[in-house]
Amino acid sequence: MTSAFDTILLDIVSPQRIVAIGSLATYEDYSLSWQKARQVPIVLREYNLERIVALHPDVVIVPDYYSKDTVDGLRGAGIPTVVIHTDTTVEYVPQLIQRLADVVNEPKQGKKLVDIINQDLDIVKKKADRIARDDERSAIFLSTMSGYTGTGSLFDHMCTYMHIKHPPSELHYPSRIPFTDERIVEMNPDFVFVPVYREKDYRMVKQFYEDPAYSGMKAVRDKQVLPMKSAYLYTGNQYIGKVMLTIMNVVYPEL
């Protein structure tokens, strides 16, 4: 019951074992497993309780931010329902993958994905260790989901791995605070990443270059307000190490 878990499960089990999938997982720019996602016959745009019950799944996997009423409704219908804890640290991602693999009885496949992540994180660390503190550049990730990428977010924690300064944390913004125009100007990052998976998302990039309010920002002046696949920015999954390397190659091309 979340596209975040869909992306992970598609590399653990075959699409034929997934009875329905969230629509976001089928978008090419939103999920790095979109090709497998499109092999799942039923696509859900919302997780309606009656619709899920009618699918007769052997198990439903629910992130812990869903209400108790939803979980009780599924269990009351006789469907085994597993609630999975979510967190916003890089270290938690391998734990999440192994937990999901255990739920669907594929622990060995889960371990394979975890091993790949750990190898990627080793490469990230080696590259990041070459960046002196005084040479660190700053970046923000804009999200249409207010507060998704500020202080205490997964992207915030990824930045510590990549040796990228994250202005919301540097300025001690509270977590989940909206990125208003005034705050974006105050943060004045070297890079602004705009997640895209639909044509209209590119308008936000254009707006930065056309709005005089942003004209003094470093990222605007240096033409570093950049569209990036949403899949690279919403990345609490098996691709997290590769995604961090992709972002580092943009911020630190000299590496």
Side-chain angles (χ1 to χ4, degrees), residues 5-245:
F5 292 176
D6 287 339
T7 298
I8 296 171
L9 287 169
L10 284 163
D11 276 358
I12 294 175
V13 300
S14 69
Q16 289 70 37
R17 284 182 58 188
I18 300 176
V19 71
I21 200 159
S23 60
L24 286 176
T26 67
Y27 290 120
E28 182 176 354
D29 286 341
Y30 196 92
S31 170
L32 293 174
S33 298
W34 65 273
Q35 290 172 308
K36 292 180 181 178
R38 290 186 182 180
Q39 296 177 43
V40 178
I42 298 174
V43 177
L44 301 176
R45 299 196 178 276
E46 59 182 359
Y47 299 99
N48 178 277
L49 185 64
E50 289 75 18
R51 180 80 188 279
I52 293 170
V53 171
L55 293 171
H56 303 293
D58 295 312
V59 64
V60 174
I61 301 172
V62 184
D64 60 0
Y65 50 77
Y66 271 85
S67 70
K68 184 175 182 295
D69 289 344
T70 298
V71 176
D72 288 347
L74 289 165
R75 289 174 175 165
I79 299 172
T81 303
V82 181
V83 178
I84 300 288
H85 171 65
T86 55
D87 203 348
T88 56
T89 63
V90 173
E91 294 89 358
Y92 178 70
V93 175
Q95 298 175 37
L96 169 63
I97 290 170
Q98 194 61 62
R99 174 74 173 121
L100 288 170
D102 291 344
V103 167
V104 296
N105 199 30
E106 296 288 349
K108 290 182 179 178
Q109 183 61 19
K111 186 177 183 304
K112 285 182 183 178
L113 297 183
V114 169
D115 288 344
I116 290 170
I117 287 179
N118 289 334
Q119 291 169 15
D120 292 338
L121 292 180
D122 283 343
I123 299 171
V124 169
K125 185 177 186 306
K126 287 174 183 176
K127 284 182 176 286
D129 285 346
R130 293 165 54 192
I131 304 163
R133 175 67 182 175
D134 291 344
D135 295 332
E136 289 184 1
R137 294 163 197 157
S138 61
I140 62 171
F141 155 27
L142 298 182
S143 173
T144 54
M145 294 184 283
S146 181
Y148 187 87
T149 61
T151 303
S153 66
L154 178 60
F155 184 74
D156 187 19
H157 201 237
M158 288 164 62
C159 283
T160 64
Y161 270 74
M162 297 184 287
H163 285 207
I164 294 173
K165 292 179 182 177
H166 192 223
S169 293
E170 299 270 324
L171 294 170
H172 305 290
Y173 284 178
S175 62
R176 305 198 68 79
I177 194 169
F179 286 9
T180 61
D181 292 347
E182 292 79 11
R183 291 187 181 119
I184 293 171
V185 171
E186 181 187 27
M187 288 188 280
N188 195 21
D190 297 306
F191 292 82
V192 176
F193 294 125
V194 179
V196 295
Y197 70 95
R198 294 169 299 189
E199 187 62 35
K200 71 176 186 178
D201 297 328
Y202 288 89
R203 295 177 197 161
M204 191 184 300
V205 177
K206 190 177 179 182
Q207 178 186 342
F208 270 91
Y209 294 117
E210 293 180 346
D211 191 334
Y214 296 124
S215 60
M217 287 178 56
K218 289 183 288 187
V220 173
R221 183 188 64 222
D222 297 338
K223 302 289 191 253
Q224 297 297 349
V225 179
L226 306 172
M228 185 172 282
K229 285 186 177 186
S230 294
Y232 291 148
L233 295 170
Y234 299 109
T235 183
N237 54 48
Q238 63 272 30
Y239 301 108
I240 190 166
K242 291 180 173 58
V243 162
M244 283 196 279
L245 290 169

